[in-house]
Amino acid sequence: MAGFLSELVQYRRLLLMLVVLGIGGTHLSGFQMSVINYTSPYIQKFINETWLERYGSVLPQERLMLLWSLIVSVYCMGGMIGCLCSGCLTAAFGKKKSLLFNDVVLVTAALLTASSRRAKAFEMILAGRFLEGIAAALALSCLLPLGIHMNAHVQYAGEISPKKLRGFINVTSTVFLALGKTVARILGLRELLGTEDMWNLLLSFSGLVALIQLIFLPFFPESPPYLLLQKEDKAGCLKAMKQLWGEGNYQTEFDDLMKEKAITKGTKIMNVLEVLREGSVRPQLCTMLLLLLSLQLCGLSAITFYTSEIFETANLHESIIPYVSLGVSISELISIIFCSSIIDRCGRRLLLCGGYLLMALILVLLETSLLLSDQFLWLRYCSVILIFLFIIAYGLGPAGAVVAVMNEIFTLSTRASAFVIGGIIIWLGLTFTGMVFPFAVMLLGPFCFLIFVAVLVISVVLIYLFLPETKGKSTSEITEKFKSCRFKRKHHQPVEMYAAEEKTFCTRL
């Protein structure tokens, strides 16, 4: 306990910076991910009233739905632009300046949204949503959002962390993501801002949070790796380490950065096309592809789709359902916080494999309870409990570990562009699942859970075989691990020898 308190005092400035990063980073992604659900009926009514006042006629239902879908989708359009711009911004200006720029965009978007009712212009909501989308590429169904503030936040947090706390600090981005969803559900209650008179203030709440980050972030330094590897400022790097980590000997961390600098000497920050063409980065890209697709296809979208139906069949009163949904968000938040406290002890692979296996087991039980709920009414309540358990398993494992691994397997010269590629993978995956999943539900019903069970089991096997443990290792060491664990056969080695070497390394915890 004494050791924990001493570390808390030593790293107090680092923890303060994590709070400042989080509230204006992934917290906003989580908030914007959930808040639109609470304002939907009020925005549609506002559009109707505005149209009637302007043109003296009622807006047809088809056109109303078109405008509403445009308000929802324009956020995603801006999100794709934000995703593509984030790599260039973080590489050219650093994570700190990128986040400050992002805050200015968000404050502008909040002002537009907050003023829309007084101006009687729903077009201002469209403009505000587009700017918010540029600031954050929204990933639906509680997936990993990759926009300017997500990219910059995750990379920034990973780069300012000492090696022994790297897993914990990387997971904080997911903690704040879950916190944002929880805050949105709290503020969206009818007793607070989820009312017809306050919905525009609820939508613009993100601007207040961005303003707080805009004020306090300039008091903190740029990340040490960025200062040393890109700006070649050794003195500034050491100064930033002491500012963030307190007084102490950080020669080991500095030597690790110097090794990475030697490896990447003469190598500029790569753009997306250069990273795709770089053969030495392909194992890391394949790993990222595996992790992101497994996260998207883990069954969370199916759980989200069936949650309301399961709550209704369990005879939960309509007025209670928002509080039960809030309980689901709080469960996710608590489980991710717990994940952040154990990830540096358990390692990334154990959390990923264990979390996915537990999620697969819960989906099998949920499938069984849904099929038999008409025969045994008490199984409907078991289904509600299983939803909570699934969210907890998701938070304990993949929700935190995926972000940690993604931030650790790339060097500074490739990280920004790799995150852009990751964002594109997510958007393509979302487009595919968004088009296919409703038809799968229509054809298979609750049997669609079996698809996700198969995906989870296959993901566990591939992660176990091909993902090296990154716990406690520097970026240069992780790069060497990937080099020794090839995805392709080496022509000058016998197949049997290579297979033996691959098995020996890749399956070792």
Side-chain angles (χ1 to χ4, degrees):
M1 186 66 179
F4 172 77
L5 291 175
S6 63
E7 284 194 350
L8 194 63
V9 173
Q10 179 183 354
Y11 294 109
R12 62 187 182 279
R13 190 171 176 85
L14 175 62
L15 296 176
L16 285 174
M17 185 173 185
L18 288 175
V19 172
V20 173
L21 279 178
I23 61 172
T26 50
H27 170 270
L28 292 181
S29 288
F31 182 85
Q32 293 161 354
M33 187 182 298
S34 300
V35 73
I36 194 65
N37 296 324
Y38 296 94
T39 58
S40 170
Y42 307 126
I43 293 177
Q44 293 186 44
K45 184 178 180 181
F46 170 65
I47 294 174
N48 254 330
E49 292 175 348
T50 303
W51 192 274
L52 180 61
E53 185 173 337
R54 285 184 189 176
Y55 305 106
S57 61
V58 177
L59 184 65
Q61 184 64 26
E62 296 80 9
R63 191 170 298 180
L64 174 62
M65 293 309 299
L66 177 62
L67 287 174
W68 167 244
S69 62
L70 184 59
I71 287 176
V72 175
S73 60
V74 76
Y75 186 65
C76 301
M77 297 174 192
M80 180 61 77
I81 296 175
C83 177
L84 295 173
C85 293
S86 62
C88 301
L89 284 173
T90 54
F93 302 108
K95 286 72 181 178
K96 180 178 175 180
K97 291 181 180 178
S98 296
L99 283 170
L100 292 174
F101 168 76
N102 179 69
D103 291 332
V104 174
V105 174
L106 282 170
V107 170
T108 304
L111 290 175
L112 286 171
T113 305
S115 306
S116 59
R117 284 188 67 198
R118 181 173 292 274
K120 298 182 179 180
F122 60 83
E123 294 86 355
M124 295 176 70
I125 302 177
L126 276 169
R129 293 278 294 171
F130 180 73
L131 291 177
E132 287 176 351
I134 290 178
L138 177 63
L140 298 178
S141 302
C142 306
L143 300 177
L144 184 67
L146 287 168
I148 293 177
H149 63 233
M150 180 62 182
N151 268 339
H153 176 187
V154 174
Q155 295 176 63
Y156 203 167
E159 291 176 11
I160 64 175
S161 59
K163 187 189 297 185
K164 65 179 179 179
L165 297 177
R166 190 176 60 201
F168 163 75
I169 290 176
N170 282 333
V171 176
T172 58
S173 62
T174 314
V175 171
F176 280 101
L177 179 70
L179 178 63
K181 290 187 282 186
T182 303
V183 170
R185 289 184 173 176
I186 292 174
L187 294 179
L189 295 174
R190 292 176 182 175
E191 293 82 356
L192 296 175
L193 298 180
T195 64
E196 187 173 354
D197 296 328
M198 305 291 284
W199 63 264
N200 58 323
L201 297 180
L202 177 61
L203 272 182
S204 58
F205 175 79
S206 57
L208 175 62
V209 178
L211 182 61
I212 294 174
Q213 186 183 74
L214 184 63
I215 294 172
F216 288 101
L217 188 58
F219 293 99
F220 294 94
E222 182 58 88
S223 71
Y226 178 82
L227 292 172
L228 178 64
L229 302 181
Q230 191 163 348
K231 296 299 183 181
E232 298 186 353
D233 184 1
K234 294 182 180 180
C237 174
L238 289 170
K239 181 180 179 181
M241 285 181 176
K242 291 182 178 180
Q243 283 181 319
L244 293 170
W245 305 343
E247 293 297 329
N249 184 9
Y250 304 113
Q251 190 61 41
T252 302
E253 284 83 357
F254 186 79
D255 290 342
D256 288 338
L257 289 178
M258 291 301 294
K259 290 179 183 177
E260 184 177 346
K261 181 178 176 62
I263 293 174
T264 59
K265 186 177 182 180
T267 304
K268 65 180 180 65
I269 300 295
M270 298 185 186
N271 59 38
V272 172
L273 292 178
E274 290 171 337
V275 169
L276 289 174
R277 287 196 295 259
E278 180 59 43
S280 62
V281 189
R282 285 174 189 165
Q284 288 92 318
L285 290 177
C286 291
T287 300
M288 180 178 69
L289 174 64
L290 167 64
L291 293 177
L292 291 180
L293 290 182
S294 66
L295 198 66
Q296 285 184 293
L297 301 175
C298 68
L300 203 62
S301 55
I303 291 292
T304 303
F305 184 88
Y306 273 102
T307 294
S308 298
E309 181 180 333
I310 290 172
F311 288 167
E312 290 173 2
T313 54
N315 294 323
L316 294 178
H317 195 273
E318 184 181 353
S319 62
I320 300 177
I321 290 179
Y323 295 95
V324 179
S325 299
L326 176 60
V328 172
S329 292
I330 293 175
S331 299
E332 180 183 357
L333 175 61
I334 293 174
S335 62
I336 294 175
I337 291 174
F338 183 72
C339 172
S340 69
S341 66
I342 65 174
I343 189 169
D344 286 313
R345 295 182 182 180
C346 299
R348 287 57 163 162
R349 293 209 315 158
L350 179 61
L351 291 180
L352 282 169
C353 294
Y356 279 150
L357 286 176
L358 185 57
M359 290 165 67
L361 175 61
I362 293 171
L363 284 182
V364 171
L365 295 176
L366 184 60
E367 171 82 23
T368 304
S369 68
L370 289 175
L371 292 175
L372 300 178
S373 60
D374 291 334
Q375 301 177 31
F376 305 97
L377 297 181
W378 57 270
L379 283 177
R380 297 177 180 179
Y381 301 98
C382 290
S383 299
V384 175
I385 296 173
L386 288 171
I387 287 178
F388 276 85
L389 292 177
F390 183 87
I391 295 298
I392 290 172
Y394 170 79
L396 285 175
V402 167
V403 178
V405 171
M406 280 183 57
N407 205 35
E408 293 168 344
I409 61 178
F410 294 101
T411 63
L412 186 69
S413 62
T414 60
R415 189 175 295 130
S417 295
F419 270 61
V420 173
I421 296 171
I424 294 172
I425 291 172
I426 285 179
W427 279 104
L428 292 176
L430 284 173
T431 303
F432 176 77
T433 54
M435 293 174 62
V436 173
F437 180 68
F439 295 100
V441 172
M442 194 179 351
L443 292 174
L444 302 176
F447 285 104
C448 67
F449 288 123
L450 297 179
I451 299 175
F452 300 111
V453 171
V455 170
L456 289 169
V457 173
I458 293 172
S459 299
V460 168
V461 173
L462 294 177
I463 289 170
Y464 183 75
L465 291 176
F466 296 114
L467 176 65
E469 180 56 70
T470 60
K471 179 185 72 174
K473 295 181 176 63
S474 65
T475 304
S476 57
E477 290 172 336
I478 295 171
T479 302
E480 290 301 318
K481 292 288 186 181
F482 272 103
K483 288 181 180 179
S484 63
C485 184
R486 296 292 187 187
F487 283 77
K488 292 183 178 181
R489 299 177 179 178
K490 294 182 179 179
H491 297 291
H492 64 276
Q493 287 183 327
V495 174
E496 294 80 2
M497 182 183 298
Y498 167 71
E501 290 180 0
E502 183 181 47
K503 184 177 180 180
T504 301
F505 168 72
C506 294
T507 61
R508 180 166 52 86
L509 282 172

